[in-house]
Amino acid sequence: MPFAQAPTGALQLKWELQDHGWARCHLANDFHQASLVVSYCTDALADLVAAAGGLYGQQRTTRFFFDAEPQELRWVLRAEDALIDVTIYEFPDVSVSLDLPDAAGTVIWQSAHSRRLFSHAVLNAAQTVFTEHGEAGYQAKWMLHPFPVALVQDLRRLHLRDDACGLSHDHAHP
């Protein structure tokens, strides 16, 4: 899909903590779905929330990766106006792929969404995890990293300030 194509429909993003140190990130829109298994070797949920928040400033592209032991799942978010192009590349071995260009990976997800829709989906996924597990429960399952409370609060503030989102938002926590 070429960048800046019309949005690809509603985005659903779900984050599920699995066994200690593992999570599953589900993505779905009107045309595609993917399920990514993620290790705690990176602070994956915090990286996703921070990358979404980074697109509210001057930054036009954000990159981060999930460690899937041994795979690298590299996310590239590109902003043009209020449209976000989301591309996820898979590399077979994170120990050698970090310096490789994006084109060396295999595209496993690509979609375009309004920044409002993308940020709302990220916030909703994070809020659902927090509601289900709380800070202590999240830390017990994710082990190496605490729940990203400040990042979620910052993304929510930016999203509500700049996106005119009329969808429901849970302000109770975090």
Side-chain angles (χ1 to χ4, degrees):
M1 169 197 318
F3 176 61
Q5 181 177 352
T8 52
L11 176 65
Q12 297 173 7
L13 197 148
K14 185 176 182 183
W15 193 270
E16 295 178 321
L17 295 177
Q18 306 283 291
D19 295 330
H20 293 323
W22 292 95
R24 187 172 295 274
C25 176
H26 301 281
L27 296 149
N29 64 22
D30 292 345
F31 307 104
H32 309 286
Q33 61 182 10
S35 187
L36 313 173
V37 176
V38 181
S39 161
Y40 72 146
C41 290
T42 59
D43 196 358
L45 182 59
D47 293 341
L48 174 60
V49 173
L55 296 173
Y56 285 85
Q58 297 298 316
Q59 199 170 3
R60 305 315 302 151
T61 302
T62 60
R63 283 181 165 73
F64 62 96
F65 74 95
F66 294 164
D67 189 335
E69 296 186 43
Q71 296 87 7
E72 174 193 353
L73 303 173
R74 183 180 305 169
W75 290 61
V76 180
L77 308 177
R78 290 185 181 90
E80 185 172 301
D81 298 321
L83 189 67
I84 306 298
D85 178 68
V86 180
T87 306
I88 304 172
Y89 300 89
E90 182 176 38
F91 295 84
D93 187 351
V94 71
S95 70
V96 297
S97 62
L98 295 178
D99 292 326
L100 295 176
D102 298 339
T106 301
V107 174
I108 60 170
W109 178 269
Q110 189 165 31
S111 61
H113 304 279
S114 70
R115 184 181 66 194
R116 180 186 61 80
L117 255 167
F118 180 74
S119 294
H120 191 86
V122 171
L123 282 168
N124 195 43
Q127 185 63 52
T128 299
V129 168
F130 186 85
T131 299
E132 183 177 343
H133 299 283
E135 284 185 76
Y138 182 90
Q139 180 81 53
K141 282 217 166 243
W142 200 237
M143 299 182 339
L144 293 182
H145 310 282
F147 185 83
V149 171
L151 291 170
V152 171
Q153 289 171 339
D154 193 44
L155 177 58
R156 181 184 301 118
R157 179 186 57 80
L158 294 167
H159 172 62
L160 292 174
R161 182 191 74 192
D162 294 351
D163 290 336
C165 184
L167 300 173
S168 172
H169 294 86
D170 184 353
H171 296 277
H173 12 262

